[in-house]
Structure formats: C-alpha cells, structure tokens
Amino acid sequence: MKGTVLFVILFACFQAFCQNAQTERQLIENTIELYFDGWATGDTAKLGKAMHASCFLKNYREGKFTSFSKSQYLALFKPHERPKNLRTNIVALDITNNMGSAKVEIINERETFTDYFNVMKTVEGWVIADKVSTRTPHKTTGILPQKETVLDGLKRPWSMAFLSEDEVLISEKEGDLIKYNFPKKERISIKGFPTDLEDSLDGFGDNTGKFEVLIDPDFKSNKYIYLSYAAKAATGRTTKIVRAVLEHESLQQIKVLFVAEPFTDQRVHYGAGMLFGVDGKLYFTIGERIFTEKDEPDIPIAQNVEDKRGKIYRINPDGTIPKDNPDFGNKAIPGLYATGIRAAQGLTRDLHTGKIWFSEHGTHQGDEINLLKAGANYGWPMKTTGKYRYAEFTPKEISGNSYTEPVWSWLQTVAPTGLHVYWGTEFAAWNRNLLVGGLSRGSVWRLVIEGETIKSAEELFSDDRLRIRKVIQSPMGKLYLLSDEVNGKLIRVKNTGS
C-alpha cells in the first residue's frame, strides 16, 4: 500500500514537472525576449544577462560591417522608455544539439528590420554567442499569393487565436471551441463552454452561435482567454463576453464581463469582435440587434447612450471600467467608448502605430472601414453610405450630434468581417496594408493605408472565391484565413512569387 501511494505521488510530481518544464525552443525564445527587453529600454543588466562574455555584435549598414564586443555594445546604452509601437517577432528558429540560430523581425512605426542570432547552451542556460543586425529595410519582391488548405471539416469557423506557432484555438460558430496542433495534426475539443450558449438554427445558418476567441497578452502566466457568444435566456438571446482560465483542455473559473441586454428574439447583428489595445484594455463590439430600421425606437438604438446595443466598449481585462474612458454622461452605459454602430464584427490593431481599425456591415451597400477614436459617433442610422433596408425610414435629426465619416466604404456589398494589418517579409509589398475578409461573393481585400486614409483597394483571389470570416497572422508571421462554410477551412496563404 505504501509503495502504491509513493508511486502515485512520484507520478504526480513527474506530471507536474513535465507540464512546467520549458522546451529548448522556449528557453531560447526567453533569452531573445530578454535581450530585446533590454535593448528597447536601455537596461544593460538584461542585455548583459542575455549575452555570453565572448559575444560579438555586428551592424551591417551601407555595405559595411561595424563590430562591437559585449562591453563596447553595452556602453552604447542608457535607460529610456520603451517605444510605444515597437514589436519583435521570432520568424525562424533552428536548434542542433547545444547550438541554435534565430531570425527576428523588428517592426517600428516606419520600417521592418531583421536581426540574426547565434545562440549556445552553457551551464547557465541559453545565451547569445553573436548577432548581426541588417539595419536595412526589407526590399519588395514579387508577390503571387496562393491558398493552401491546412485543416477542413470546421463548422462555420468564426475566429482563431494562436497559443504558439504550433497551436491555435479556433471557435466554430456552429460547432466547438477547438485546439489544433499543426505538427501533430491533432484536433481537440475544449470542454466547459458556458451552458447558456444559443446555437444557430439548424439548416438556417443565422448569426447565432460562438464568436470571438482571444487570448490574454499575459496568457503564458495567467492562462486567461476571452470568449464572445450568443447567450440565451427566457426572453431571448444577446451577446455575452466572458473570461475563462484554459487548463487541461477545459474552460475553468468563467467570469462574465459584459451582457448586452436586453435579450430579444432577434438572431442578427451580435457584433462580438474583441481585441486588446496597446494600452492593455479589452475592446469589443456590440451590434444593434435589429434586422430592419422599421423597428428603430424614437431615439435610435445605436444613438442612445443608455442602450447597450450598437456600441464599441473599452474595459479592463477583469471587467472594471478604465478611468480614462470618454465621458458620455451620467446615464451612459459603463465602459462605452464609441457609438453609432450597426453591425461591427472585425477589430484589428496596427502593430506599427497602435491604431485600431474596425469593419462594419451596411444594409444595401454601406459596408465600411473605420478608425476607432475615443468618443466618436459613427453615425448609424442617422447617416449611411448605402441604403436603408426599410426604404421609408427617415431618421429624425438629433440636436448637437456630430458624426465621424468612414475612412473607406465600398460601392458594392462586401459584408466585411475579420480584418488584419499585415506585417512581415513574406509579402513585403503588403507591409502595413489592411487585409479584410468578406462574406458577400466570398472575397479578400487588400487596402493600402497612408496615415489615417485608405488610398486604394484590391480584391484578391477573385478567381477562387470563398466566404472569408477571419484574416490573421501566426506569431512568426504566417498568413492564414478562415472560410465561413459548413465545411469550413483553415487556409495558409503563401507567396509563390519570386
């Protein structure tokens, strides 16, 4: 009996060790992250810890190399604030025994650069042996995008969030929340989804079901993920935002952050897009939840600050309200950030500038791309670039209101959904372009951004149309799409050009 108990204890300890032990890849990533933390803030203690004593660093500029020893390099730094819109991404990593190499992209407001690292494993762990910095912006190469199906059999997938380069969470609007492992080609259904989920009507394919899945910026330490979905009650259904701990392929410690009352019998325009801003706040969209303007009250839903519907919100990750949110008055819904929203689903943040862009569905045309600004009123239903579903609808003027014009609108119906500001080198000419998925006719659009304006639009894959629900990049910059189909697909987009 004692032997059995001892075995159980040892086995439990072994399992805990395996779960907590980091892979060699993760240890190298930690070292490189430590280096860039020091580099970005002038913290020579972090820089010094990441580098071996014999480390040499080289900068390549205008055809010449400049070399620095470790001590010479550290002498160049002084403490300073971290640039707000700086991002680094490990785009390639190779390990052979006790040696490794890594390629890292450094993205700032203006350009993208590449650093190359050699690392070695010592008794103190992985350290940087040498580094070469190009300090030369990437050159544009030929682009020929080609789609490759990575996973199919998804039930109208809505959203995805990468846990690592090898694992991703995918929410199926009419199915499960799943975790997919790329190397193993393994698909696991996550247990414990909230029981008040309202499913889509069988065979009808309405807007109802599971929506966004989003991981916390500190997911590695807190295991938090965020979910939006259609929740049901005796009086109908509405959009709900929750936070949960993802542990052992199960949702635990579920906390409700927002419920977009009232519950109604409508099954449309839930909104439900979610995003973390550069400020660490959670932004999310709530649609106005009616099908036709005929059902608008005297003060339209999206214009009424006392009505939760038709808005964009900004809250803290625990559901509390930031003190620096815009002031809409004492009676306004807590967390309110912007008004005048009809049916916005897609939210994305430009990694170069920190600005947030969102897509919005019109009725007959009127599909828009907007730049999110605190306190803005985006006009619905007072203004639209399209036509009303209820042709006789004429909104009454609201005294004192001013409206923010869309940055872009289409002349045709696109039904824009998940969108993404591209970064990286595989499609270098697309860097800082906005990629937008569309449901109508099945499309992917590339919009060229200059400052806060959109200068041009190109439709991609016009000869191979699929309803696209989401556009996203992996941690190492690979470009993916989700197709909105009964047999939905996770699609990798590769550049097969020169």
Side-chain angles (χ1 to χ4, degrees), residues 111-363:
E111 297 162 318
T112 299
F113 301 95
T114 301
D115 282 1
Y116 297 89
F117 292 83
N118 285 323
V119 294
M120 59 184 183
K121 189 175 184 180
T122 68
V123 293
E124 297 178 349
W126 286 97
V127 289
I128 298 168
D130 60 64
K131 188 205 82 165
V132 176
S133 174
T134 63
R135 300 305 299 166
T136 303
H138 294 298
K139 295 181 180 179
T140 298
T141 58
I143 287 182
L144 184 61
Q146 182 173 321
K147 293 189 289 190
E148 175 187 280
T149 299
V150 176
L151 175 66
D152 59 12
L154 298 171
K155 299 176 182 178
R156 294 201 179 276
W158 209 97
S159 174
M160 58 191 294
F162 282 90
L163 300 173
S164 67
E165 189 66 24
D166 292 340
E167 287 190 323
V168 66
L169 295 174
I170 300 175
S171 62
E172 300 175 300
K173 186 170 73 71
E174 298 178 1
D176 295 329
L177 174 65
I178 70 170
K179 182 172 74 172
Y180 181 70
N181 185 289
F182 289 86
K184 297 179 181 178
K185 297 182 179 180
E186 180 182 50
R187 169 178 169 160
I188 298 173
S189 294
I190 302 300
K191 300 177 182 178
F193 202 93
T195 56
D196 62 343
L197 169 70
E198 173 75 310
D199 289 324
S200 176
L201 292 175
D202 290 339
F204 182 75
D206 66 7
N207 292 168
T208 309
K210 297 181 178 70
F211 305 130
E212 195 82 74
V213 55
L214 180 71
I215 68 168
D216 193 277
D218 296 321
F219 175 79
K220 287 184 179 179
S221 59
N222 61 30
K223 303 298 182 185
Y224 286 147
I225 71 169
Y226 301 78
L227 303 162
S228 58
Y229 64 98
K232 61 185 176 182
T235 52
R237 56 200 63 84
T238 194
T239 314
K240 183 178 280 192
I241 310 290
V242 301
R243 186 181 74 181
V245 172
L246 178 61
E247 197 76 45
H248 307 301
E249 283 79 50
S250 176
L251 301 179
Q252 303 173 19
Q253 302 177 40
I254 294 175
K255 179 178 182 178
V256 176
L257 302 182
F258 190 88
V259 182
E261 294 104 338
F263 286 80
T264 74
D265 60 0
Q266 298 274 7
R267 305 182 72 95
V268 296
H269 304 164
Y270 292 94
M274 294 193 296
L275 172 79
F276 272 100
V278 70
D279 54 8
K281 308 303 182 185
L282 179 64
Y283 295 77
F284 56 90
T285 68
I286 301 294
E288 71 164 356
R289 300 282 288 108
I290 59 175
F291 182 74
T292 173
E293 301 78 39
K294 185 177 182 180
D295 295 331
E296 291 281 11
D298 290 340
I299 300 177
I301 289 169
Q303 294 296 321
N304 186 353
V305 297
E306 298 179 40
D307 193 310
K308 290 185 174 182
R309 298 166 293 176
K311 314 294 191 300
I312 293 180
Y313 294 85
R314 175 180 182 259
I315 64 174
N316 293 316
D318 62 358
T320 58
I321 309 303
K323 294 181 180 180
D324 59 347
N325 267 10
D327 184 4
F328 287 90
N330 294 333
K331 295 183 178 180
I333 301 297
L336 189 57
Y337 194 77
T339 64
I341 306 298
R342 179 179 181 269
Q345 294 178 347
L347 283 168
T348 190
R349 175 164 57 91
D350 187 336
L351 300 181
H352 300 83
T353 65
K355 294 175 181 177
I356 295 175
W357 298 79
F358 69 94
S359 62
E360 183 166 10
H361 291 274
T363 50

Side-chain angles (χ1 to χ4, degrees), residues 36 39-40 82-88 106-108 351-352:
F36 277 111
W39 176 81
R82 183 184 181 93
K84 290 184 178 179
N85 300 314
L86 177 71
R87 181 180 174 91
T88 57
I106 302 99
I107 303 168
N108 60 32
L351 300 181
H352 300 83

